[in-house]
Amino acid sequence: MVAASGGGPAGYELAARHPDRVSRLVQVDGVCIPGPIPGAAARIAARDSLARAQLWLLRHATKPTLAALLSAVGTDPRAVASDRAAKLAAIPGSTATLEATLRASLGAARRRSGMNNDFTVFTPAQVDRITCPTLIVHARSDKMAPPASAEYAHAHITGSELYWMDGSHVAFALEAADTAPAYVVNWLRRTG
């Protein structure tokens, strides 16, 4: 089971309730403990028109778009986010995974009921009941899914492994794209 971001609660819940159905659990910037509910701006950000605009901007104004994104979804100072954005913008194809994610999110209106989970207070899963091998991958400067979620899950899931990425909420696709996905694949091989 692989869960990310707002899908974290469902992944943890499935692993806790149905250990016979989940052989391994990977959480990428997954939410585990309730926090502030995203406001109206987050609902607007989930619209197709914004995803299309972000795709266009990533192609035509890569560096400033990345700088704004990294500042919006991370806790690092603006200068650090701008520096990371400049480095990423200089690497051909560095935004490919993010662009694929944005393209996959198009048509969100059809999935609106599922997306409402991101805007609702939830009851945390009983993560201490999770028995399968668990890898928690989380960005140190994640503003959207605070690192406290990863720390809590790691402290309560016996034998779990916590892998920290440097960067923001999109670190897996951007700032740590050269290391984090490979780490997950190697972990899956080791635990399989």
Side-chain angles (χ1 to χ4, degrees):
M1 170 70 178
V2 177
S5 189
Y12 285 121
E13 192 69 35
L14 182 64
R17 284 188 183 187
H18 302 285
D20 55 315
R21 295 182 182 181
V22 181
S23 62
R24 290 174 288 175
L25 176 62
V26 176
Q27 285 279 352
V28 178
D29 291 321
V31 176
C32 176
I33 53 178
I37 302 297
R43 286 188 182 271
I44 293 167
R47 297 200 177 166
D48 285 354
S49 56
L50 187 59
R52 285 189 187 94
Q54 287 175 321
L55 283 164
W56 188 90
L57 288 167
L58 281 169
R59 286 187 213 107
H60 301 286
T62 307
K63 183 179 166 186
T65 302
L66 287 174
L69 176 65
L70 298 179
S71 290
V73 299
T75 59
D76 287 324
R78 189 170 297 277
V80 172
S82 292
D83 183 54
R84 284 189 178 146
K87 289 176 181 172
L88 288 165
I91 302 169
S94 66
T95 63
T97 301
L98 178 60
E99 290 179 42
T101 302
L102 288 168
R103 281 192 302 277
S105 73
L106 294 174
R110 293 187 311 275
R111 299 184 301 277
R112 186 67 56 209
S113 58
M115 291 181 71
N116 283 338
N117 292 334
D118 287 352
F119 305 102
T120 307
V121 176
F122 64 92
T123 302
Q126 294 177 329
V127 294
D128 57 331
R129 293 178 50 201
I130 296 174
T131 57
C132 65
T134 302
L135 175 62
I136 303 159
V137 180
H138 212 94
R140 294 181 193 279
S141 301
D142 191 332
K143 188 188 292 183
M144 309 307 286
S149 274
E151 292 163 346
Y152 178 88
H154 180 54
H156 290 86
I157 301 173
T158 302
S160 64
E161 183 176 337
L162 178 55
Y163 177 83
W164 288 109
M165 301 177 289
D166 288 326
S168 67
H169 189 63
V170 292
F172 194 83
L174 287 174
E175 297 115 310
D178 57 337
T179 56
Y183 191 90
V184 170
V185 169
N186 288 330
W187 181 85
L188 288 168
R189 287 181 181 142
R190 272 196 336 262
T191 59

